[in-house]
Amino acid sequence: MRFAKRLDQVPPYLFAELERKIAAKRREGVDVISLGIGDPDLPTPEPVIAALAEAARDPATHQYPTNHGSEELRSAAAGFYRDRFGVELDPSAEIVPALGGKEAVGHVALVLLDPGDVALSPDPGYPPYTSGPLFAGADVHYLPLERENAFQPDLDSVPDEVLARANVLFLNYPNNPTGAVLEPGLFERAVELARDADLVVVHDNAYSEICFDGYRAPSFLETPGAKEVGIEIFSPSKGWNMTGWRAGLVAGNAEVVERYRQLKTNLDSGMFEAVQRATAAALSEAREFPRAMSEVYRRRRDIVAEALDAIGLEVDPPRATPYFWVAVPEGYTSESFCELVLEQAGVVVSPGPAYGPSGEGFFRISLTVPDERLEEAVRRIETSLRAGIIEA
Ligand SMILES: *Cc1c(COP(=O)(O)O)cnc(C)c1O
């Protein structure tokens, strides 16, 4: 059998590697705790479940939905954007449902990139910012996110010849995997660059609702001129514990929204109408839920910050996202340190390079595990790891 080369260009999905290692340890009888994957452990809020259950009993939801999405979902999304971000969106032209943020990232790349084009993608970054463009036959130019630069890309560093071929700039704040929040001026600079270089800004807003210590993350669409040059991908996955539901939105520039919708009429037939009703409930009736979730993560964050400090690791507790991005101690690579943590503590953390080459020297801890498991992981790290680090 012969296969298209498409899949050969992308590294094996990070979590496939991790899952293999975890499985091997478990076979040895170790009670492995994974802090590797960002998948909320708590249930979806009740009003969302109730809306789905009721909608599922209504036969009107059982037929093909449309790729435009229901009026109800689009208005709920517009209402949410107005009240939460002060952003006005035309529900008939500037909002369309997505089957999750990930799907939107990948397919937006197919909408905007031809072979020979370039995507400007943060490094480290969410893997689909790389695989989406590669599947489109385009090249990826990495924008390193460095600690010295508060994990913001240096948009002025992109060489002119790269900029001439670039047609997409991916941004993501609050950021996965670094936990960084937006620094003032970056979105404005992105709009300016998009105008000068004639490219489209795609802001992945997966974490705006998971914020701590009074911080409130903005939408890219609040930036003057944003709608002329870009879109935002929004997802209820993290804020409303809905990763399993496959719901999301593409909002902003009407032409990009329309092209994305057209592409999808060729690939899928829209979002289950009952899930659309449930997502509308999340964005209207359950608006306060992400604040309660943020409080859960804040408490877990503080527990982890204390443990990392206790074993002598330098920590910068995040102000948003359920992630810690931590530098490995001297004498280790990301991989050797992650192996040490697995060996000594039976705890899985994600090696930085899984998110791109600039991730070397870091690892990511995810707070999306039940409190008692997190506390157990922290206890093991504190008791078994300190000695391990010193020995090395
Ligand atoms: C989790 C996540 C998403 C959204 O995931 P979906 O479940 O597909 O909506 C998008 N971007 C980033 C950076 C994420 O971490």
Side-chain angles (χ1 to χ4, degrees):
M1 235 178 269
R2 191 184 65 81
F3 291 98
K5 295 180 186 65
R6 204 157 283 127
L7 279 172
D8 301 336
Q9 308 167 60
V10 297
Y13 198 59
L14 142 81
F15 300 113
E17 299 274 345
L18 270 178
E19 275 156 18
R20 265 196 299 279
K21 281 188 189 159
I22 298 167
K25 271 279 152 196
R26 288 197 172 129
R27 273 195 303 276
E28 291 168 26
V30 178
D31 169 30
V32 176
I33 303 176
S34 177
L35 309 181
I37 294 175
D39 188 356
D41 55 300
L42 290 164
T44 304
E46 191 48 40
V48 180
I49 297 170
L52 177 81
E54 194 188 328
R57 288 198 188 88
D58 176 359
T61 67
H62 298 175
Q63 291 180 288
Y64 282 125
T66 72
N67 287 94
H68 284 285
S70 69
E71 175 79 45
E72 183 196 5
L73 173 58
R74 286 181 280 115
S75 326
F80 176 78
Y81 261 77
R82 181 185 310 118
D83 298 342
R84 167 68 178 87
F85 300 117
V87 169
E88 288 298 331
L89 291 168
D90 173 358
S92 64
E94 295 176 332
I95 302 173
V96 69
L99 304 179
K102 188 182 204 175
E103 177 266 296
V105 169
H107 284 150
V108 160
L110 293 189
V111 164
L112 294 168
L113 297 167
D114 280 321
D117 287 346
V118 168
L120 305 175
S121 304
D123 162 34
Y126 187 51
Y129 308 146
T130 307
S131 51
L134 292 177
F135 290 163
D139 299 316
V140 172
H141 178 86
Y142 280 132
L143 301 172
L145 305 184
E146 282 160 8
R147 189 157 53 169
E148 303 74 65
N149 213 4
F151 300 111
Q152 316 287 304
D154 177 3
L155 298 184
D156 299 315
S157 73
V158 184
D160 285 344
E161 63 276 16
V162 173
L163 221 42
R165 291 166 55 209
N167 204 38
V168 177
L169 165 63
F170 285 111
L171 293 174
N172 164 225
Y173 291 95
N175 184 261
N176 175 14
T178 67
V181 300
L182 182 79
E183 290 287 311
L186 178 63
F187 281 168
E188 288 77 3
R189 180 70 193 98
V191 169
E192 199 175 69
L193 183 75
R195 283 185 179 139
D196 292 348
D198 191 20
L199 55 78
V200 177
V201 180
V202 176
H203 181 242
D204 180 4
N205 190 11
Y207 293 98
S208 61
E209 306 314 296
I210 300 295
C211 296
F212 321 121
D213 311 330
Y215 176 72
R216 292 283 271 164
S219 159
F220 169 65
L221 300 177
E222 292 172 39
T223 316
K227 249 200 250 178
E228 279 113 73
V229 299
I231 53 158
E232 181 157 275
I233 296 169
F234 185 84
S235 167
S237 279
K238 311 299 164 41
W240 285 264
N241 300 337
M242 287 176 66
T243 48
W245 296 59
R246 313 316 305 136
L249 301 168
V250 170
N253 184 274
E255 281 182 275
V256 180
V257 165
E258 174 55 17
R259 281 289 180 162
Y260 166 75
R261 190 195 64 76
Q262 281 175 14
L263 176 84
K264 283 182 35 100
T265 60
N266 291 282
L267 295 171
D268 65 59
S269 297
M271 190 195 295
F272 180 23
E273 180 69 35
V275 173
Q276 294 192 52
R277 292 190 196 170
T279 304
L283 298 177
S284 50
E285 290 160 55
R287 275 191 192 175
E288 291 308 310
F289 182 79
R291 279 186 200 254
M293 263 327 289
S294 295
E295 185 49 26
V296 169
Y297 292 130
R298 198 229 14 107
R299 215 174 52 235
R300 293 176 181 176
R301 177 199 68 175
D302 293 346
I303 292 170
V304 169
E306 209 171 296
L308 294 175
D309 191 54
I311 60 168
L313 287 179
E314 203 183 310
V315 280
D316 208 356
R319 290 165 69 205
T321 80
Y323 307 121
F324 268 88
W325 185 244
V326 191
V328 300
E330 285 257 343
Y332 288 93
T333 62
S334 292
E335 196 185 344
S336 68
F337 190 72
C338 292
E339 266 173 36
L340 179 84
V341 179
L342 184 61
E343 282 305 320
Q344 306 258 325
V347 171
V348 178
V349 296
S350 306
Y355 303 93
S358 297
E360 182 49 54
F362 290 87
F363 65 96
R364 194 192 77 171
I365 288 180
S366 171
L367 304 174
T368 55
V369 288
D371 286 4
E372 62 281 7
R373 294 298 274 166
L374 190 72
E375 279 159 21
E376 167 67 17
V378 157
R379 254 195 308 279
R380 289 194 211 162
I381 287 171
E382 279 180 339
T383 54
S384 62
L385 210 59
R386 197 183 326 228
I389 294 175
I390 295 163
E391 273 165 30

